[in-house]
Amino acid sequence: MRSFTNFDEKIKKALTQEVDDISPSDHMLSNIQKQITDRKEDNNMKIKSVKHSKGIMVACAILVLTTATCFAASKIASISGSIDKKLDTFPTTKQMETTAGFTPKYVEEFSNGYKFEVVFAGTLDANDADENKVSEIKTADFTYEKDGAEFYIEAMQKPKNASIPDMEGELVTLTNGQNVYYHDWMHKFKPADYVMTEQDKIDQANGTYEFAFGEDLDFIQHCQVVEWEENNIRYSVFCYDDNLTKADMVKISEEVINKN
Amino acid sequence: MENSATLVQELQNGNEKAFEALFELYKVKAVRTAYLLTGSRILADDIAQEAFVQCFLKIHTLKDPCQFKTWFFKCLTRIAWKMANKEKAATPVENIFEMADTNECGEIEKDFLKKEFSADIMKIINTLDEKQKTTILLYYYNEFSISEIAAVMGCFEGTVKSRLHTARKNLKKELDQKEAYLKEGLNNAVIYKF
């Protein structure tokens, strides 16, 4: 126990007397628990919205990262814009055309029980190094949900006057002869102000991790994607929580392809 | 608060009951420290609540459970500074006359003068700058060590000592003046007691 001088004791006494009748409110713990629950839901929503747009982020990252080697007609240096038109009831073809500006194939419910939850659509600008728009990319981002688990299907209308990177990964041939590509990677999400370590840079260079930065992000995720193209549309099925296996994702792609 | 390290480890392992136990251990000191920092009863509750919420959500970032106390109060003081600056809360002035609880005229006056003395100390503390005031509160009320205060405030131990020295010097100067006044007041109380 610290020994105080008389002077110190007076200060301590004054402070103690000042708060002598201050007590936590009876409801403080329940208030705290409610706030924790609310924040967790908010964080889940943030992560959902990050994941939700992750398909776009990842696709855009792939587009941007491979710009130098893949683009024929125009060099695309960046992607800008937002996917902010939302439909949270299963859209008709007409609604899809009006909202997204194109009509991809899409399913209301899959045989594995996942159901349509929401679709975000919009048009992204593809820009050159001088920030001049060289093309547009129309995209529709579908979310499917079952028992709290989700996966996403991104449908991207291939841009005019520019090419997008080739699909990569393991080639899988479906029963109808269509080819799809599967690949997976580990993605590290870090806070916006995170400074990459030397190990991070090595991991990024050798493909151990892809990196993304954003507010309140700090986790590692296994990302899987199955891709194919049909009628000038690039389709990508994304899964981030390992709630689907490769086989599940290939089956999903088959059901979309077979949709009339 | 000595067993908080065990509770922290349990909470980090997913035992949410451990959080309730931590809350019980720290709630009074948290609210009272927040009140001393801001002078506002309402803000004190908000600050303490926010500190506990952040504690729960970020407990996984605490590498050494033994450092929970300084980690928690670091969080709390940051929140208090932010909220106090935002609200510019006024220092409450206690109604000293309400605190008198004897019928004796002289006792009331003596009690009044003693409590006014403590109130004067608080007034002086509340005139200190934010960092000096926090140093004083953590040192005298929370009885943190110099190194603990440095950890809470995110500064060097030398800086803590310097702030403590300056704050004590200012306090002592004001206290000496008030004490002289108090003695004069007590003497008067003796004269007027029937």
Side-chain angles (χ1 to χ4, degrees):
Chain A
M1 167 95 63
R2 176 181 293 165
S3 81
F4 280 144
T5 63
N6 185 40
F7 168 66
D8 293 323
E9 284 295 341
K10 286 175 183 171
I11 300 174
K12 183 170 170 57
K13 187 178 174 184
L15 291 169
T16 305
Q17 277 183 348
E18 178 76 2
V19 293
D20 195 40
D21 59 349
I22 303 286
S23 293
S25 66
D26 292 336
H27 307 293
M28 183 170 281
L29 180 59
S30 58
N31 288 344
I32 290 166
Q33 288 167 332
K34 185 181 182 311
Q35 284 184 47
I36 288 169
T37 303
D38 289 346
R39 299 267 181 101
K40 277 184 180 177
E41 283 176 9
D42 283 348
N43 283 342
N44 284 339
M45 286 303 297
K46 273 188 195 168
I47 291 172
K48 271 189 191 168
S49 65
V50 168
K51 283 185 188 175
H52 171 80
S53 61
K54 238 197 261 184
I56 303 298
M57 283 165 59
V58 173
C60 290
I62 291 171
L63 275 170
V64 172
L65 287 172
T66 58
T67 293
T69 54
C70 288
F71 289 96
S74 300
K75 279 202 180 286
I76 295 179
S78 65
I79 309 287
S80 60
S82 59
I83 317 296
D84 54 5
K85 292 179 196 156
K86 177 181 168 185
L87 295 169
D88 47 22
T89 53
F90 188 69
T92 63
T93 308
K94 191 173 177 187
Q95 284 173 321
M96 200 68 227
E97 175 67 39
T98 305
T99 306
F102 72 115
T103 315
K105 282 185 177 178
Y106 53 99
V107 171
E108 186 168 11
E109 183 174 349
F110 288 91
S111 61
N112 57 16
Y114 279 82
K115 294 181 184 175
F116 170 87
E117 188 176 48
V118 66
V119 59
F120 284 80
T123 302
L124 297 173
D125 293 337
N127 310 306
D128 63 17
D130 296 323
E131 309 246 332
N132 298 313
K133 178 175 151 183
V134 296
S135 189
E136 282 186 349
I137 302 173
K138 288 187 168 62
T139 181
D141 198 8
F142 296 82
T143 301
Y144 291 88
E145 186 270 343
K146 182 178 87 168
D147 299 329
E150 292 180 341
F151 74 88
Y152 313 91
I153 299 181
E154 176 196 84
M156 181 191 294
Q157 193 177 58
K158 290 166 73 172
K160 295 174 187 173
N161 305 321
S163 58
I164 59 176
D166 295 334
M167 292 178 287
E168 61 177 24
E170 179 192 338
L171 184 70
V172 178
T173 303
L174 304 179
T175 51
N176 64 359
Q178 169 100 30
N179 287 331
V180 300
Y181 289 84
Y182 170 87
H183 76 276
D184 68 332
W185 68 97
M186 298 303 292
H187 217 108
K188 254 192 194 178
F189 292 86
K190 284 293 183 185
D193 58 355
Y194 178 77
V195 177
M196 287 179 72
T197 63
E198 289 308 310
Q199 185 60 50
D200 287 335
K201 291 172 188 169
I202 293 169
D203 289 340
Q204 187 180 46
N206 66 23
T208 303
Y209 291 110
E210 297 285 347
F211 283 82
F213 304 92
E215 190 180 342
D216 290 343
L217 299 181
D218 196 356
F219 56 92
I220 297 173
Q221 201 142 52
H222 179 219
C223 303
Q224 302 179 81
V225 66
V226 167
E227 295 184 298
W228 71 97
E229 287 184 2
E230 191 177 346
N231 294 332
N232 204 45
I233 297 172
R234 169 77 62 87
Y235 293 86
S236 306
V237 180
F238 288 96
C239 174
Y240 301 113
D241 288 323
D242 287 330
N243 44 301
L244 297 171
T245 63
K246 183 178 97 176
D248 293 333
M249 294 176 71
V250 168
K251 182 81 170 68
I252 285 167
S253 66
E254 202 161 29
E255 291 185 33
V256 175
I257 290 167
N258 292 337
K259 179 80 169 62
N260 295 320
Chain B
M1 297 185 188
E2 285 77 18
N3 62 343
S4 54
T6 308
L7 292 171
V8 168
Q9 282 173 325
E10 288 179 21
L11 179 57
Q12 288 177 330
N13 290 333
N15 178 3
E16 295 194 1
K17 285 289 177 195
F19 175 73
E20 292 178 26
L22 278 171
F23 171 76
E24 290 300 322
L25 275 180
Y26 283 88
K27 65 180 182 181
V28 173
K29 266 295 202 263
V31 172
R32 291 180 175 181
T33 303
Y35 176 78
L36 287 171
L37 284 167
T38 60
S40 165
R41 184 67 187 87
I42 296 170
L43 274 186
D45 273 349
D46 290 345
I47 290 163
Q49 281 177 187
E50 179 62 23
F52 280 110
V53 170
Q54 288 195 22
C55 160
F56 181 94
L57 294 173
K58 295 181 181 176
I59 197 69
H60 60 281
T61 66
L62 176 59
K63 302 280 186 282
D64 181 2
C66 294
Q67 300 302 316
F68 178 78
K69 185 178 78 169
T70 50
W71 181 80
F72 176 77
F73 279 96
K74 181 175 182 176
C75 179
L76 186 135
T77 51
R78 294 287 183 284
I79 296 165
W81 289 344
K82 198 172 164 184
M83 285 196 183
N85 286 336
K86 209 172 164 185
E87 295 286 336
K88 292 189 189 341
T91 305
V93 177
E94 291 182 47
N95 187 340
I96 295 172
F97 293 100
E98 287 179 3
M99 293 173 68
D101 57 4
T102 94
N103 291 324
E104 287 281 345
C105 179
E107 287 300 318
I108 290 173
E109 198 165 351
K110 207 157 83 173
D111 200 42
F112 165 78
L113 288 169
K114 278 187 179 172
K115 283 174 181 164
E116 188 179 16
F117 185 70
S118 285
D120 284 337
I121 296 177
M122 282 311 307
K123 282 179 193 172
I124 299 165
I125 289 174
N126 285 322
T127 63
L128 299 173
D129 72 39
E130 186 178 74
K131 300 285 166 65
Q132 281 185 24
K133 178 178 167 181
T134 306
T135 305
I136 286 287
L137 298 180
L138 293 175
Y139 187 78
Y140 287 104
Y141 176 67
N142 298 86
E143 294 192 321
F144 280 23
S145 66
I146 298 293
S147 62
E148 286 174 334
I149 296 172
V152 168
M153 297 186 68
C155 63
F156 294 113
E157 289 187 22
T159 307
V160 174
K161 289 177 187 172
S162 169
R163 284 176 184 157
L164 196 56
H165 172 75
T166 306
R168 288 177 87 246
K169 196 171 76 172
N170 290 338
L171 277 168
K172 194 159 196 326
K173 181 180 156 190
E174 298 290 333
L175 263 180
D176 286 343
Q177 288 175 358
K178 295 294 178 186
E179 193 161 3
Y181 175 77
L182 176 63
K183 279 183 182 163
E184 188 182 331
L186 285 172
N187 287 338
N188 289 340
V190 168
I191 290 169
Y192 291 114
K193 184 174 179 180
F194 296 105

